[in-house]
Structure formats: structure tokens, C-alpha cells
Amino acid sequence: MEKKLVPCLVVSILILCSLIIVRSDASDNRYKVGEDVPLYVNKVGPFHNPSETYRYFDLPFCSSGPTKDKKEALGELLNGDRLVTAPYKLDFLNDKDSEIACKNKLTKEQVAQFREAISKDFYFQMYYDDLPIWGFIGKVEKEGKNDPSEYKYYLFKHLHFTIFYNKDRVIEITALSDPKSVVDLTEDKEVNVEFMYSVKWKETEIPFEKRMEKYSQSSSLPHHLEIHWFSIINSCVTVLLLTGFLATILMRVLKNDFVKYAHDEESAEEQEETGWKYIHGDVFRYPKYKSLLAAAVGSGTQLFTLTFFIFLLALVGVFYPYNRGALFTALVVIYALTAGIAGYTAASFFCQLEGTNWVRNLLLTGGLFCGPLLITFSFLNTVAITYSATAALPFGTIVVIFLIWALVTTPLLVLGGIAGKNSKAEFQAPCRTTKYPREIPLLPWYRKTLPQMAMAGFLPFSAIYIELYYIFASVWGHRIYTIYSILFIVFIILLIVTAFITVALTYFQLAAEDHEWWWRSFLCGGSTGLFIYGYCLYYYFARSDMSGFMQTSFFFGYMACVCYGFFLMLGSIGFRASLFFVRHIYHSIKCE
């Protein structure tokens, strides 16, 4: 079955890549002189609140004619993009000077609406031939004024577009607001506004294939790369030293244990067993809540597969800057197509543990991650609807996601579960399990579950925390992250350290004659997710300027889901590593 799943996954990835390539090639247009080049306004919102975005015309901007919505893909809608035809007309190679886009008479209420938006540092985003443009809608004059009631609020009314072209293609565009051409909106009174724009075309030698490189230069600057590589080297050195230290101790102790147990084989009747060999009759006793453990391992394995394929697409260059919605499309499609892995892993492992109700186990597997995600999404989407924000998904998009879940995810989960149930794999335990469990000795507080989780999560988190800032600044800010190779190295380090530290703690637990290692290894492996969520608190309050109920709920709500996903994924990694280790050490000795 596992061999059959691999071709299916490869085909799925090829389908996904073809979908994204079709989307990215949509902007490969050639234009003639005077031909209309598409310009769309996208959204506006507070600069420091990336989730709180609104439609461009939610603010009382005027239009030169009837607006038309651009048809968007699933990933673009999930990203909060809502593109509408712009009031500006930028024809190919057609310069313009102080052209009037439209005129509008602002009422007192509209003036107050603009003033509030300017006070919150609202920015706008547009797309010209699929190239992004940003700018602020106004400015606040605070110089020499200590009282906020004395501040002056100005709306920018003149945009200067500078467009670079190479032969018959658009290469680059910038938009600058004229700081001298403003409208005073300080007082609540009706105001007449003429929105104007200028266009200047310039030739460039930059080829069309490299026009997106401009947007990734910020993350590829020498000092940024130097910081990234320094963080990698720092993490590697720290991890190698600590893991090497632990490995040396563990291997030396294990070697002594093997020599001791081999030497004591002849006098086994005279000398009582101690340490981890003493509990050989209990170490493979099936854990409590084995259905939940199997579901968690299955879900974690699926999320690991999802992460691996996302990295694969990132490394081959699919997620170039401002390929709108590509990441969200990939996440939805790959998660749906890898549901069979979760079903197969969970059902197979559950049956190995002599579980009988595999259907209930399959339902638990399907809802273990999707359930909390659905609850979080329902709440946050309701909040977005209340705010009339673009983060609120249209009803049609929700129906599409539901159909993907019902027609793709669920059938694959069931098929994987049936294949796992029929795999007839047996649990490979090198030692027989006794009828009655031994009593676990009283352990000191630092050997309890929570202190062990804190120890297990700290080392993997210390290897990735420097890189976390750049990821957060990209996801919850306006930075661009493109150095996926470094991120992939950090991810590999995270997996290795998680596996090793979990194995080490499992050994120390068994040496203390505590045979309930199953859940402990999963919880210790996944504890890094709790540390990441703790970093979320630090980032929100100390490193960002986010504010407001909507942004706060979106940040902590969706980051809770992400960290929970990390908990399941790393927990399954830690459990698998510990299971392999426990089987190995007990297979190396003779157990009666």
C-alpha cells in the first residue's frame, strides 16, 4: 500500500504544480503602444495590522466608471485579495501629466471616515500587470503639536506612476504620492476632491524573467544573508555540542548496561535485575487511550508529509514573491491529497495495538486537526464578517473548501484507513508483556511529565528561534521571505534534535523504571510547539505594533492552530524515534 501511495502523491504534486504554473504565467503578456494594461486596486488597511484589510472602495474613493471584480483563484481569496478595476488608466507607453482620474464630493461622514483611516496609517495595495504597488492614503502632521486634537490630517490626491518597460513588456512600477498635493480633512465639513495621477514610462534592460527578483532582494541582501547564516551556524554548533554531549553519555551508559547485563546472564538467578531491563515485561504494554495516540501519530505523519512537499515546492521556486495565493492553494490541495497517509498510519498502528473499533479511530484521526481548525476558522471568519474585512471568506469559497474536504479528503482518509486495517502488520515487540504491570517507583518532581516536556522543548526551540523572527515578520508583517534553503536546513536540524532529545529522555525514564513512555515520548517531542506559541506572545507584545480585537484574535487564533500542528508533527517524530530506540535496546538483550 505504501508503494502505491508514493505514485499518487507524485501525481498530486504534478497536478498542483501545473495549477500554480498556469496561474503564474497569466501575467506573461505582451502589449502594443496605447494598449490598456490591467490595473487593479486590491485592498486597504492599517499598516501594522496585516489581517485587518478592507476593500479599496470601502473607503469613499471615487471611480471613473463602473467597477468590475477580477475573477480570483482559491488561494487568492484565502489570502484576502479582492481585486477591482482601478480609476486610473495606464496605457502602454502613454505618458500622462496631472490627469484627472475622478472627482468626488466628500460628506462630513466620509471626511471622518478618511480621517480615521489616515490616523491608523492606512495603506493601499494595487496590482499592475500582476506587479504589486503600495502607498499610504494620507499623512498626519504632528510637528510642534503635543495635543492630538491639534493634529492635521491630509489626504493624498495625486499619484505619480513610474513604469519601466523592456520592448513590449512591463518590468517594474512604482507609485509615489505627491506630498504637496493634499486635501485638508482636519475639520468635519464637506470637501471637493479631484483625484489626479501622472504616468512616466522609462526603458530598462532588465529581462522579463527577472522582473520579480526586485521583491526578493531585501531578504537576499548581504547583511541579511550574513545574519541568516550566522543563526544557522550558531544553531548547528549549539545543537552539535549538546547532542554530541548527550550522545556520548547515552552511548557510554548503554554500552555499560549491555556489558553488565551480558555479564550477569550467568548469575541472573542470584542477582536481581535493575534499571531499564527490570521493566522488560512492561515496556511494551499498550498505553491508555491508544486510539487517540494512533490518531495523533497519523495526523502528525500527514502534517510532516505536507511540510515536506511545501518545502519541495518552495525549493523549486514555486513560491516566488507575490505569486498571489500560491502557498494557500498548495496547503489546501496537498493537505487534502495526503489524507490517505493519516488514515493508513493511524489505522495500521491502531490495529497493531490490538484495537478493534477502527472506524471510530478513523473519525478521530480525521477530526483531530481539522476539528480545532474548523472551530477557530468559524470564530475568526465571524469576526471578519463583523468588521466587513476581506479576511471574511465568501460563501462560494467556503462551499468549495467543504467540497474538497467531502469529495477528496474524506474518501482518501477512508481508503487509507481500510488499507491500514488490511495491512495485517503485527506490533514487533522483542519482549513478552507480563499479565500484571509493575508498580512505578516514586519519582522526583523533575522526572514528571511537565518538567520533562519543558526540557525536551527547549533544545529544539533554541535551534530555530532566531529564524522564527524572519518568518513572523514575513507572515505577520510586510517583509518578504525567500531564503527557503536556509529554512529547510533549520527544519532538518529541528527534526534531528527533536528525535534525539526525545530518545534521551525516554532512556532516562526507562532507567528510572518508569515504563509508561508511550505518551511521554509524544508529549516531549511535541512540546516545541508550546515554546513556539510562547514566542508568539513575546513577538506580539515586544516586536510588533499589532493592535485591535480582530488582529489580536487572528494572530493568536491561527498561530494556535499552527503551533498545534507543530505539536502533532514533532510529537509523531519523537514517538517514532523513541519506539525505534526502545525496540533496539530490548532486542539487544535476552528477555525472558
Side-chain angles (χ1 to χ4, degrees), residues 187-318:
E187 299 180 7
D188 284 326
K189 62 180 182 180
E190 293 184 353
V191 178
N192 291 315
V193 184
E194 286 186 347
F195 289 97
M196 307 176 71
Y197 66 106
S198 302
V199 184
K200 182 68 176 177
W201 286 86
K202 296 182 179 180
E203 192 170 6
T204 181
E205 297 298 323
I206 299 175
F208 180 81
E209 294 74 19
K210 295 184 178 181
R211 71 174 191 162
M212 300 305 295
E213 289 185 1
K214 164 193 172 183
Y215 302 101
S216 59
Q217 284 177 356
S218 60
S219 61
S220 302
L221 291 175
H223 66 278
H224 280 193
L225 276 174
E226 187 177 336
I227 293 172
H228 276 281
W229 280 114
F230 175 76
S231 68
I232 290 291
I233 294 171
N234 178 59
S235 299
C236 287
V237 170
T238 304
V239 167
L240 285 175
L241 287 175
L242 292 175
T243 52
F245 177 69
L246 286 173
T248 304
I249 294 177
L250 195 59
M251 294 304 294
R252 186 168 292 181
V253 169
L254 273 174
K255 184 178 179 181
N256 292 337
D257 285 348
F258 288 140
V259 171
K260 173 188 173 185
Y261 292 142
H263 178 73
D264 290 344
E265 287 290 337
E266 300 174 359
S267 57
E269 297 180 358
E270 301 175 5
Q271 185 173 353
E272 185 179 359
E273 295 174 347
T274 58
W276 54 269
K277 188 182 178 183
Y278 177 68
I279 56 172
H280 65 81
D282 297 280
V283 73
F284 293 106
R285 189 180 305 281
Y286 299 147
K288 297 178 181 178
Y289 314 111
K290 56 187 178 184
S291 179
L292 179 60
L293 179 62
V297 171
S299 297
T301 305
Q302 180 189 6
L303 292 172
F304 171 73
T305 309
L306 167 68
T307 307
F308 174 78
F309 278 119
I310 290 294
F311 270 116
L312 184 65
L313 292 178
L315 292 173
V316 298
V318 171

Side-chain angles (χ1 to χ4, degrees), residues 561-574:
C561 292
V562 171
C563 294
Y564 176 54
F566 267 94
F567 178 82
L568 292 175
M569 179 181 69
L570 297 177
S572 65
I573 296 294

